[in-house]
């Protein structure tokens, strides 16, 4: 690789790294453990969320792997929508369909 191109790329990476310190990134909340899915609706309510979109692919949906989450949302009477038509490497049309 050209030395000037490499230098330019490294400068870009360094500037991006420094600027990331000034962005307002939030630390994700990790929920793990047995029966922790039941906490998700209450966490959403606590953060003033009105509705949730559950995004998955057709295989996960048909296997019923999202059923525990859906059950927890229904028990808490939290409104939700399911979009299960995600494909690998989604296109703009796939994203718009989900929207």
């Amino acid at each position: 690789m050209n030395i000037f191109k490499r230098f330019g790329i490294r400068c870009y990476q360094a500037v991006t790294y420094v600027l990331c310190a000034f962005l307002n990134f939030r630390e994700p909340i990790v929920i793990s453990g047995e029966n922790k899915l039941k906490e998700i609706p209450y966490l959403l309510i606590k953060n003033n969320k009105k509705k949730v979109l559950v995004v998955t692919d057709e295989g996960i949906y048909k296997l019923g792997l999202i059923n525990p989450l859906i059950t927890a949302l229904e028990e808490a009477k939290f409104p939700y929508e399911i979009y299960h038509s995600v494909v690998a490497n989604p296109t703009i049309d796939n994203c718009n369909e989900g929207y």
Side-chain angles (χ1 to χ4, degrees):
M1 181 182 289
N2 184 336
I3 192 164
F4 295 112
K5 185 175 181 180
R6 183 180 298 163
F7 178 74
I9 291 170
R10 293 294 181 199
C11 288
Y12 174 78
Q13 290 173 336
V15 169
T16 304
Y17 180 77
V18 170
L19 290 177
C20 282
F22 297 102
L23 296 175
N24 188 21
F25 288 119
R26 289 175 281 164
E27 191 71 28
I29 299 170
V30 178
I31 300 173
S32 65
E34 191 173 338
N35 295 321
K36 292 294 184 172
L37 282 177
K38 293 179 181 180
E39 293 180 16
I40 291 177
Y42 303 105
L43 183 64
L44 293 168
I45 292 167
K46 178 182 165 188
N47 288 303
N48 298 320
K49 304 304 176 193
K50 305 287 185 234
K51 195 172 186 180
V52 68
L53 175 64
V54 180
V55 180
T56 185
D57 67 355
E58 193 67 35
I60 300 286
Y61 179 73
K62 284 183 179 178
L63 288 172
L65 297 176
I66 63 168
N67 289 349
L69 174 61
I70 300 306
T71 301
L73 292 169
E74 288 174 349
E75 286 176 357
K77 296 181 177 32
F78 194 86
Y80 67 92
E81 291 291 329
I82 300 174
Y83 178 67
H84 56 81
S85 299
V86 174
V87 296
N89 299 320
T91 62
I92 297 293
D93 291 335
N94 194 225
C95 294
N96 288 335
E97 182 184 344
Y99 176 73

